[in-house]
Amino acid sequence: MSVSNESPTDGAADWAVRRFERVHTDAVVALWEEAGLTRPWNDPRIDIERKLAVQPEGFLVAVTKDDEVIGSVMAGYDGHRGWLYYLATAASHRGLGIARALVAEAEHVLEAMGCPKVQLMVREGNEHVLGFYDALGYERFTVANTGKRLVSDA
């Protein structure tokens, strides 16, 4: 993947977006915990294993030149639309365009699969994140989400 950044004005390390590798597991879980994305009913390590079994090319990380994980996103395509999950940027690296680059690369991965539309879910009340997606051209929908757990991770 060719997405990268050099930030000589603020001293931030160079970074690049690439496919997740198993060696990134602990760092990605820590990133998700720092970002408040984990929930007791979803074991993040099991979520990683499930993603590696289905469309692993849609699991992307942003890493520094020293291979420090500073961002992540999961993208998947179900044949009707694409979905984004687990978008996170390390607090120490926010404001450098990492989340934007992750979303853009995830969109490219989905488009290469033939995906015509991408959606995501944002927890209610998270206006900062909604504003981020607004700026990327995502449209807000008024829908009710429902779900049913088929396998318990606990």
Side-chain angles (χ1 to χ4, degrees):
M1 289 175 200
S2 61
V3 180
S4 63
N5 182 46
E6 292 186 26
S7 187
T9 59
D10 64 10
D14 297 349
W15 54 269
V17 173
R18 65 177 196 214
R19 280 181 62 169
F20 171 89
E21 297 174 15
R22 285 188 191 278
V23 69
H24 298 131
T25 299
D26 289 342
V28 166
V29 171
L31 172 69
W32 292 349
E33 288 172 348
E34 173 192 300
L37 297 179
T38 59
R39 294 296 183 264
W41 54 87
N42 286 339
D43 182 320
R45 293 176 188 284
I46 293 174
D47 281 353
I48 288 170
E49 290 304 313
R50 287 176 176 141
K51 182 60 186 163
L52 293 176
V54 179
Q55 299 174 344
E57 66 276 17
F59 193 0
L60 307 172
V61 290
V63 295
T64 66
K65 62 184 175 186
D66 298 323
D67 207 34
E68 174 190 1
V69 174
I70 55 173
S72 75
V73 69
M74 278 188 188
Y77 177 44
D78 62 18
H80 180 62
R81 66 177 51 103
W83 290 88
L84 299 181
Y85 299 94
Y86 284 118
L87 177 66
T89 302
S92 61
H93 287 75
R94 291 189 183 144
L96 301 176
I98 294 167
R100 286 177 180 270
L102 285 162
V103 170
E105 190 60 33
E107 290 172 348
H108 288 125
V109 168
L110 291 169
E111 190 173 10
M113 292 180 188
C115 178
K117 177 181 181 180
V118 62
Q119 290 185 188
L120 54 99
M121 293 179 279
V122 177
R123 287 196 175 88
E124 196 172 317
N126 199 339
E127 288 302 316
H128 178 73
V129 169
L130 287 170
F132 168 79
Y133 285 110
D134 290 344
L136 294 181
Y138 280 70
E139 176 184 352
R140 295 188 193 197
F141 301 124
T142 303
V143 297
N145 288 311
T146 63
K148 179 180 179 181
R149 190 153 238 347
L150 301 175
V151 177
S152 175
D153 291 349

